[in-house]
Amino acid sequence: MTKILAVFGATGQQGRSVVDHVLNDPELAQQYTLRAITRDIHSEKAKELSKEVEVVFGDTENPSSVENALAGAHTVFIMTVPSFGPDAVESEFNTAKMLADIAVDQGVKYIIFSTLPAVSKISGGKYTQVTPFDAKARAEEYIRSLPVKSSFCSLGSFMENLQAQKFLAPKLSPDGAWVYSRPVSVSTKLPLLNAIRDTGKFVGAILANPDRFEGKTLCAAEAHYSHQDIVDALSKSTGTKIHFKKVSWEDFRASLPWIPDVWIDAFQAQEEFGYFGPDGEAEVAWAASQARGKLTTLEEYLVEHPVQLE
């Protein structure tokens, strides 16, 4: 008999990647029956997904709907959406806690949680404003305390952000040059992940061998790339020379359209301590070697999804 795998955020980048990977992995497709959980079962994405898997309603603002969505599930993939504001960490943590508590109450045997590094802890309390990271790290710590098997995927920076975060894209300078501006050194590295295509490959590794990965965290990324590597890849992809420019923290803050404190602390922490901390490159290399399928390089991603300079 197959086990029910319930997937939160099933119409989003992470959840849909998990669903697609399981559907297309013959071994996993035989072991697991998918249940896609979404807040809007009438959306076009949900309707499309319902052609392939069971789609059920589940809303974090409606605990009873979560109870129904997790009834009979064996394994659950949990991801949470960041909150912002003065209670950001507490708000997101409480959401994750509620989902995990209901999972345990409903008899779920295994939780896979989409986590992030604890920036406050890694930095020794120096950088405390990266609330989406700290909230998920706190939730991870809580889930580890529960009477249920669990493992964790700590996701790198999404390659998709090269298109989505327009305010960080290369800009045309007054002298006619295209400039990629950051307040950190050009040698600062980021772990990059094709979230839509490759998140499922890391989760798939856990699903294929849950006992082996119990209690472990996969730092999910294809590899680390310096900002120079990123600039070079963008230049090659666009066919236009793009220049790296280090800007002041004040100028960078002025360019940010929202949550400037989060961005500033995130960039500072990444430059000083690394995205995943001091052992991040080794941890990413190990996780990448465990992934269930070939991971997308930055160059390959940009061939399929070229950035438009505008």
Side-chain angles (χ1 to χ4, degrees):
M1 178 180 289
T2 60
K3 297 170 285 192
I4 294 175
L5 167 62
V7 179
F8 282 95
T11 59
Q13 291 177 321
Q14 297 180 47
R16 185 59 198 254
S17 182
V18 173
V19 169
D20 286 345
H21 182 80
V22 174
L23 283 174
N24 291 290
D25 185 311
E27 181 181 342
L28 296 180
Q30 287 188 341
Q31 293 182 39
Y32 295 94
T33 298
L34 284 157
R35 179 183 292 167
I37 303 173
T38 180
R39 290 175 298 175
D40 184 2
I41 60 174
H42 302 295
S43 71
E44 289 304 315
K45 289 182 179 180
K47 290 177 182 177
E48 191 66 26
L49 194 55
S50 67
K51 298 176 183 178
E52 300 180 276
V53 302
E54 178 189 14
V55 176
V56 302
F57 171 66
D59 190 338
T60 57
E61 300 296 323
N62 183 344
S64 64
S65 73
V66 176
E67 292 173 359
N68 293 333
L70 293 182
H74 177 278
T75 302
V76 58
F77 172 76
I78 296 176
M79 54 81 58
T80 53
V81 178
S83 298
F84 298 103
D87 300 320
V89 171
E90 197 70 22
S91 177
E92 185 176 355
F93 168 76
N94 284 337
T95 296
K97 179 180 183 298
M98 180 267 290
L99 295 176
D101 285 343
I102 291 176
V104 172
D105 289 344
Q106 292 295 83
V108 166
K109 305 303 183 200
Y110 203 106
I111 293 174
I112 302 172
F113 181 65
S114 177
T115 188
L116 282 172
V119 175
S120 291
K121 183 178 180 180
I122 291 170
S123 68
K126 185 174 182 179
Y127 300 114
T128 61
Q129 299 302 309
V130 194
T131 52
F133 283 55
D134 284 346
K136 290 178 177 64
R138 183 180 167 194
E140 174 187 338
E141 187 176 340
Y142 177 75
I143 291 170
R144 288 181 181 277
S145 75
L146 295 174
V148 64
K149 293 181 179 181
S150 59
S151 56
F152 306 88
C153 277
S154 188
L155 303 186
S157 182
F158 293 1
M159 294 180 186
E160 288 84 353
N161 290 341
L162 292 169
Q163 283 93 1
Q165 294 172 348
K166 300 290 188 184
F167 58 96
L168 292 177
K171 300 290 191 299
L172 189 63
S173 67
D175 64 3
W178 285 95
V179 177
Y180 172 101
S181 300
R182 295 292 186 273
V184 295
S185 166
V186 70
S187 62
T188 300
K189 293 183 176 181
L190 278 177
L192 296 184
L193 171 72
N194 181 340
I196 295 173
R197 178 169 293 179
D198 292 345
T199 299
K201 295 172 184 175
F202 291 96
V203 175
I206 296 170
L207 293 170
N209 202 337
D211 290 339
R212 180 186 175 201
F213 290 103
E214 182 186 353
K216 292 184 170 62
T217 298
L218 290 174
C219 293
E222 184 268 327
H224 278 76
Y225 292 82
S226 70
H227 286 293
Q228 187 62 60
D229 294 331
I230 296 171
V231 167
D232 290 344
L234 288 170
S235 296
K236 181 178 180 180
S237 172
T238 60
T240 300
K241 178 63 178 177
I242 298 171
H243 304 270
F244 178 87
K245 180 181 179 181
K246 186 174 182 181
V247 297
S248 70
W249 290 104
E250 292 75 16
D251 287 346
F252 183 66
R253 176 182 287 275
S255 73
L256 298 171
W258 64 312
I259 54 169
D261 291 341
V262 174
W263 286 105
I264 294 293
D265 265 24
F267 272 89
Q268 289 180 322
Q270 288 161 17
E271 180 175 43
E272 191 170 344
F273 298 98
Y275 184 101
F276 287 120
D279 299 321
E281 290 197 55
E283 290 172 346
V284 164
W286 177 78
S289 73
Q290 307 303 307
R292 199 168 170 86
K294 182 187 179 303
L295 300 173
T296 311
T297 67
L298 177 59
E299 184 173 343
E300 289 168 343
Y301 176 83
L302 289 172
V303 168
E304 290 190 32
H305 309 280
V307 171
Q308 302 299 319
L309 297 177
E310 53 186 49

